[in-house]
Amino acid sequence: MMNRRAFLGTSTATLVASELSWALPRVSGFVLTNPESKEAHKIKAVGLQLYTVRDAMKSDFDGTVAKVAQIGYKEVEFAGYFDHSPKDISDLLKKNGLTAPSCHVPYDTVQNKWEQQIAAAHVIGHKFIVCPWIDPKQRQEPDGYKRAADLFQKAGEVSKKAGIQFAYHNHTFEFQPSEALGGKLPYDILLATDPNYVKMELDLCWIEVAGKDPIEYFNKYPGRFPLVHVKDMKVLPKGAEGPTASPDKEMPNMTDVGSGVIDWKYIFSHAQNAGIQHYFVEHDFPADPFASISKSYAYLSALTF
């Protein structure tokens, strides 16, 4: 079973070496369903993290992107480019009426290939570049998270000058107290970076699995979360079973958005304070990827909050 880190590392290797209406009032990443109401909102453009359909993309890259658009998605987030050039990806997105506000890249790309990735992002149209993983070995080192925070800060300063925002995507382990950090949460160390240079893509499923309340973070760090991942769980770990530091342990409980126990209306009612601009559906291992993303889209496109 290939994890996200390995997947990103293999699928982005070629890219960095290649060529470099709504009429309703907009409120961040959602719209008012009634111009006279400040209560009812809907997501303006439901997005998809393409990691969900990665196997289909390996065999039919263009056709898979077209199917995603046909379902109704307006935005996509890449996790690898499958040996396609930035220009080819840009053309494919335009052909299907899609935009790609963001992409996921490996830590190594942030560290060693950042200028090339920024150049590619400009061609494709990314406004955000997201790092979704810190190696377990580095996480266990006394200064591991501090080194990551320093790297993210520097990368964010460089990308900001180029008009692109850096962000970090969490799993569950960032919310577990670390002995190396004197009992502090790693996520809080990463949030101690400059908010102008380091934003967060909050995975709303994993923070719930970790036993933390996303609203507390929205209130403490308003405007810090322009991107969110939206995926659901049949049950959340409780008692001796949770919270868990291992996302892999909870994968069997993942389900289509709206079919689980996460309270999306409650979370999204705080979207403005959080600063959410883009909502990306994700399911790491769906039995039928296209059936799954269709159900999730149907739920989120009709959801009011």
Side-chain angles (χ1 to χ4, degrees), residues 116-187:
Q116 299 99 308
Q117 179 61 53
I118 290 171
H122 278 303
V123 175
I124 297 169
H126 299 320
K127 303 301 182 186
F128 298 85
I129 302 175
V130 183
C131 179
W133 188 261
I134 301 170
D135 189 79
K137 181 180 178 182
Q138 179 172 338
R139 300 198 308 257
Q140 293 164 8
E141 295 169 352
D143 65 342
Y145 277 104
K146 179 63 166 59
R147 295 201 329 268
D150 289 344
L151 173 64
F152 296 163
Q153 173 88 17
K154 292 174 183 175
E157 291 175 9
V158 172
S159 64
K160 192 80 169 184
K161 291 177 182 176
I164 293 175
Q165 179 69 59
F166 174 84
Y168 177 75
H169 166 280
N170 66 281
H171 287 81
T172 53
F173 43 78
E174 295 91 345
F175 298 99
Q176 302 298 314
S178 168
E179 291 184 11
L181 297 173
K184 294 180 180 178
L185 299 186
Y187 201 62

Side-chain angles (χ1 to χ4, degrees), residues 13 38 43 49 62 70 85 105 176 180 186 197 270 305:
K38 294 187 182 299
I43 297 173
Q49 164 52 260
D62 290 14
Q70 289 163 8
S85 73
V105 301
Q176 302 298 314
Y197 301 127
H270 295 79
F305 50 91

Side-chain angles (χ1 to χ4, degrees), residues 14-298:
T14 298
L15 170 114
V16 295
S18 67
E19 65 175 271
L20 304 181
S21 19
W22 291 69
L24 297 173
R26 290 183 59 176
V27 182
S28 187
F30 52 81
V31 294
L32 299 176
T33 55
N34 178 349
E36 302 302 320
S37 171
K38 294 187 182 299
E39 300 298 327
H41 303 84
K42 295 182 72 173
I43 297 173
K44 179 177 70 71
V46 181
L48 177 69
Q49 164 52 260
L50 291 171
Y51 184 74
T52 309
V53 292
R54 60 195 177 279
D55 290 336
M57 292 186 75
K58 292 175 186 176
S59 58
D60 185 3
F61 186 89
D62 290 14
T64 299
V65 171
K67 285 182 182 178
V68 168
Q70 289 163 8
I71 289 169
Y73 288 95
K74 298 301 182 186
E75 299 182 344
V76 293
E77 180 177 59
F78 281 89
Y81 302 102
F82 301 86
D83 298 337
H84 289 71
S85 73
K87 177 63 164 57
D88 288 345
I89 293 171
S90 175
D91 291 344
L92 180 63
L93 292 171
K94 291 175 183 174
K95 178 181 177 181
N96 288 283
L98 292 169
T99 61
S102 61
C103 66
H104 279 198
V105 301
Y107 191 95
D108 177 69
T109 295
V110 182
Q111 195 166 34
N112 299 311
K113 305 164 187 174
W114 195 230
E115 296 285 357
Q116 299 99 308
Q117 179 61 53
I118 290 171
H122 278 303
V123 175
I124 297 169
H126 299 320
K127 303 301 182 186
F128 298 85
I129 302 175
V130 183
C131 179
W133 188 261
I134 301 170
D135 189 79
K137 181 180 178 182
Q138 179 172 338
R139 300 198 308 257
Q140 293 164 8
E141 295 169 352
D143 65 342
Y145 277 104
K146 179 63 166 59
R147 295 201 329 268
D150 289 344
L151 173 64
F152 296 163
Q153 173 88 17
K154 292 174 183 175
E157 291 175 9
V158 172
S159 64
K160 192 80 169 184
K161 291 177 182 176
I164 293 175
Q165 179 69 59
F166 174 84
Y168 177 75
H169 166 280
N170 66 281
H171 287 81
T172 53
F173 43 78
E174 295 91 345
F175 298 99
Q176 302 298 314
S178 168
E179 291 184 11
L181 297 173
K184 294 180 180 178
L185 299 186
Y187 201 62
D188 294 343
I189 299 299
L190 298 176
L191 278 165
T193 51
D194 190 322
N196 291 314
Y197 301 127
V198 180
K199 300 292 187 186
M200 295 292 171
E201 178 174 59
L202 189 61
D203 191 305
L204 294 166
C205 172
W206 292 138
I207 188 174
E208 293 266 2
V209 168
K212 301 299 181 184
D213 182 358
I215 309 307
E216 290 184 8
Y217 277 90
F218 293 166
N219 291 336
K220 188 173 182 180
Y221 302 95
R224 197 74 185 268
F225 307 93
L227 314 166
V228 291
H229 272 194
V230 187
K231 55 192 178 192
D232 219 333
M233 282 281 167
K234 298 173 187 175
V235 295
L236 292 170
K238 290 184 172 38
E241 293 300 315
T244 179
S246 172
D248 290 341
K249 177 184 174 185
E250 301 303 324
M251 289 294 182
N253 288 324
M254 195 172 291
T255 187
D256 309 326
V257 180
S259 300
V261 298
I262 296 179
D263 190 344
W264 298 112
K265 287 179 74 74
Y266 171 68
I267 294 174
F268 293 159
S269 69
H270 295 79
Q272 190 166 20
N273 190 35
I276 302 173
Q277 301 170 29
H278 304 285
Y279 302 72
F280 295 110
V281 167
E282 185 180 39
H283 191 315
D284 291 51
F285 297 100
D288 183 335
F290 289 104
S292 176
I293 66 175
S294 295
K295 291 177 183 176
S296 295
Y297 176 82

